[in-house]
Amino acid sequence: MCSVQDGEDVIPERKKTGKFTEGERRPCMKCGESAAVIIRVNDAFCRGCFLTYCTHKFRSAFGKSKLIRDGEKVLVAFSGGQSSTALLHLIQEGLSERAQKKLRFIPSFVFIDEGAVLNQTQEERSETCQQVAALLQQSGFPWNIISLEKIMQESNSLEKFELSEQFESLHVSEKDQEELKSLWNSVKTLSAKEEMIRTLRSRLLVSIATAGGYSKVLVGDTGTKLSIRLLSDVAQGRGMHLPFETGFADCRHPEMKIVRPVRDFTAKEVAMYNAFHNLQPLVLPALTTKAASNASIERLTETFVTGLQADFPSTVSTIFRTGEKLSVEDMDSEVDRCQFCQAPLDTNVPASSALNATLFSQSLSQKSSTSTIGGASNCDKTDSCCGEGDGSCQTQKDFRLTKEDLADVLCYGCRLVIKDMNSVDDLLPANVLQSAAAAVRRKKMKDEIQDFLLPS
Ligand SMILES: [Zn+2]
Ligand SMILES: [Zn+2]
């Protein structure tokens, strides 16, 4: 029975003094002046010491990893939000002559215009791009704006990609627009859409970077964002990929490393950094803007983590440090990869595994359905045989990638993304289909000759 009386306050009372005013009365832990910000439970900083602390943290991330060499060209993904605004400013400061330990890489910036999947009109998209263009123009670095639609083009279309101040966005062909739209509409749940856009975005960044001769992509993922991702990835069956999704460097792509230099910053630190420097991040719509707090797994996790963080300020760092314990050994270039997200394949497991048990019960519960993916299918593909008619040669005359075939070369998380699609070979980007088809053929051939191979 509820014991709250009428008129009684059900919400636990917050401290009367807001964190800011309370902070002002505290001394800075470095210099003793009155503090302007409290970043963790007891760390109070004045403005100057806080900014020094941020700069130091940013530099040491590069120093510790020794990942980026002097004079190396890096591509920085810029979204206009809080963390990329801070990232842009930290890079600017780090490269300036007055910096103590000068950063020595050569950055170029790229903004991916995702208006197509956010249901924006052409005018809205163009307005967003102009705002971004104004910000990037000010920075003085080379920059470019690319539309997400580019991902639908053949893999070599970005071949001669050079970053310079230009607006690519409005030159998207209608065919690409339509193709991206049908791919997008074929993904039914918001959770799957979030995964889809994340993978498409990162594939596009990698191909832009490869085409432009870069070897690293810098992204502005904060510790807060990565903690949320860590938990939501576990919930979505991507546990095996955590070191790639949340580590300092994501080395799933053989030729391209994705680096997260602001990973040691919380969202609050980044926001304070921007506020102290009078930087104005853009407020751009995202996929889950205005969506209910339980609209997707990631959104729900976000609500959970940020809610917890508000009352227990060490939440993010606890989740984050726990994830840190997971590491990945240098990836063998021979390892089988998921043909969509490029992470190592977690679905090529023995018959007696949790995954196969799940698939088995799934196939039992959807007995009549033909859309079961990745299950132990005993399909008779005699109609597509090359001529014998008995299916003995297992060769298909006209190779069309089916959903089941594709699922075979995808990780568990990506299988969930394509789960609701009716067909895949007319929806997914051409370069995904090409590499997937090659992987499927290789796998089939390997299976066929398996019995004749000597055990290694
Ligand atoms: Zn101070
Ligand atoms: Zn995958």
Side-chain angles (χ1 to χ4, degrees):
M1 205 178 117
C2 182
S3 60
V4 177
Q5 303 295 312
D6 268 358
E8 206 177 304
D9 205 353
V10 258
I11 303 157
E13 214 178 61
R14 290 238 169 207
K15 282 178 203 138
K16 290 244 164 52
T17 48
K19 280 176 183 164
F20 217 74
T21 38
E22 188 189 312
E24 273 166 359
R25 284 192 275 111
R26 280 187 165 184
C28 164
M29 58 182 278
K30 293 272 177 207
C31 68
E33 287 201 21
S34 81
V37 57
I38 298 175
I39 52 164
R40 263 175 307 245
V41 192
N42 278 319
D43 298 352
F45 283 106
C46 70
R47 180 183 181 276
C49 294
F50 172 73
L51 294 177
T52 314
Y53 156 84
C54 289
T55 317
H56 180 78
K57 194 147 74 161
F58 181 66
R59 298 287 162 69
S60 68
F62 288 106
K64 262 189 279 176
S65 68
K66 295 198 179 65
L67 210 61
I68 298 177
R69 293 184 305 274
D70 287 358
E72 193 169 342
K73 277 171 69 186
V74 297
L75 183 68
V76 187
F78 181 81
S79 72
Q82 289 278 5
S83 56
S84 25
T85 304
L87 179 60
L88 170 61
H89 192 266
L90 283 162
I91 291 178
Q92 257 175 334
E93 290 287 300
L95 289 169
S96 75
E97 288 305 325
R98 60 182 178 276
Q100 278 185 339
K101 269 190 197 160
K102 206 169 166 250
L103 293 175
R104 294 184 191 278
F105 55 77
I106 304 166
S108 303
F109 289 76
V110 64
F111 173 79
I112 306 230
D113 158 35
E114 294 167 3
V117 295
L118 300 173
N119 257 335
Q120 285 184 316
T121 62
Q122 210 58 30
E123 289 74 41
E124 286 168 334
R125 291 180 70 175
S126 150
E127 195 186 315
T128 305
C129 293
Q130 268 156 15
Q131 284 177 315
V132 173
L135 273 180
L136 290 174
Q137 187 70 46
Q138 265 176 15
S139 75
F141 296 119
W143 60 272
N144 206 320
I145 292 176
I146 305 276
S147 291
L148 190 63
E149 280 96 336
K150 285 268 179 205
I151 194 75
M152 303 312 288
Q153 295 180 350
E154 298 292 325
S155 52
N156 52 7
S157 66
L158 288 163
E159 218 164 75
K160 289 191 190 74
F161 182 85
E162 276 294 330
L163 278 183
S164 56
E165 288 91 61
Q166 55 178 294
F167 235 121
E168 280 259 347
S169 168
L170 305 173
H171 314 299
V172 175
S173 79
E174 247 170 61
K175 180 175 159 277
D176 293 336
Q177 273 188 17
E178 284 308 312
E179 281 182 4
L180 182 63
K181 205 180 265 173
S182 24
L183 169 62
W184 191 245
N185 293 337
S186 70
V187 183
K188 297 288 181 276
T189 65
L190 194 57
S191 298
K193 279 184 195 283
E194 282 184 320
E195 287 294 311
M196 174 66 92
I197 197 169
R198 197 163 104 192
T199 309
L200 292 182
R201 186 192 299 132
S202 115
R203 286 187 73 106
L204 184 58
L205 280 172
V206 169
S207 42
I208 295 171
T210 312
Y214 300 84
S215 57
K216 309 277 166 11
V217 178
L218 305 192
V219 292
D221 294 340
T222 58
T224 310
K225 189 169 172 191
L226 294 173
S227 303
I228 295 166
R229 186 175 297 168
L230 193 147
L231 292 185
S232 75
D233 271 353
V234 171
Q236 296 181 87
R238 285 184 186 267
M240 192 182 153
H241 301 156
L242 290 184
F244 297 96
E245 299 285 357
T246 61
F248 179 72
D250 178 348
C251 47
R252 74 180 71 181
H253 305 279
E255 310 287 310
M256 188 68 58
K257 284 202 167 62
I258 298 178
V259 184
R260 308 186 172 100
V262 289
R263 165 178 183 273
D264 286 330
F265 290 69
T266 62
K268 180 182 168 187
E269 286 168 349
V270 159
M272 294 308 299
Y273 180 88
N274 289 336
F276 284 153
H277 276 297
N278 276 330
L279 302 171
Q280 251 116 42
L282 300 176
V283 183
L284 301 176
L287 198 55
T288 48
T289 312
K290 293 188 196 159
S293 62
N294 60 356
S296 73
I297 296 176
E298 195 169 330
R299 186 88 173 83
L300 190 61
T301 320
E302 186 185 341
T303 315
F304 171 67
V305 172
T306 45
L308 213 54
Q309 173 79 8
D311 290 320
F312 303 96
S314 42
T315 304
V316 163
S317 61
T318 307
I319 302 175
F320 198 56
R321 302 287 163 234
T322 313
E324 197 110 281
K325 297 191 178 8
L326 300 163
S327 66
V328 62
E329 286 176 19
D330 267 347
M331 242 173 91
D332 187 351
S333 58
E334 293 295 297
V335 73
D336 284 335
R337 288 162 205 277
C338 166
Q339 295 301 318
F340 193 40
C341 73
Q342 300 284 313
L345 209 57
D346 55 3
T347 44
N348 47 356
V349 287
S352 58
S353 63
L355 172 67
N356 283 326
T358 313
L359 292 174
F360 181 67
S361 52
Q362 240 174 42
S363 71
L364 285 184
S365 57
Q366 320 173 329
K367 222 171 189 176
S368 58
S369 161
T370 48
S371 66
T372 319
I373 52 165
S377 56
N378 53 346
C379 41
D380 299 316
K381 284 181 183 151
T382 47
D383 55 334
S384 56
C385 171
C386 69
E388 283 299 312
D390 60 355
S392 61
C393 65
Q394 297 286 309
T395 315
Q396 292 177 38
K397 259 188 281 182
D398 179 20
F399 189 83
R400 271 177 72 91
L401 194 68
T402 65
K403 203 161 104 176
E404 290 75 15
D405 284 338
L406 178 67
D408 256 358
V409 291
L410 293 189
C411 70
Y412 183 71
C414 291
R415 284 183 183 186
L416 295 183
V417 175
I418 65 152
K419 196 169 165 231
D420 295 322
M421 291 186 184
N422 292 325
S423 64
V424 290
D425 65 342
D426 50 352
L427 289 172
L428 286 168
N431 58 7
V432 176
L433 292 172
Q434 281 159 10
S435 66
V440 168
R441 282 196 215 100
R442 211 164 41 236
K443 194 168 189 293
K444 284 194 169 160
M445 188 179 79
K446 207 171 156 192
D447 289 346
E448 277 171 38
I449 61 169
Q450 193 61 47
D451 294 343
F452 305 100
L453 295 175
L454 293 171
S456 54

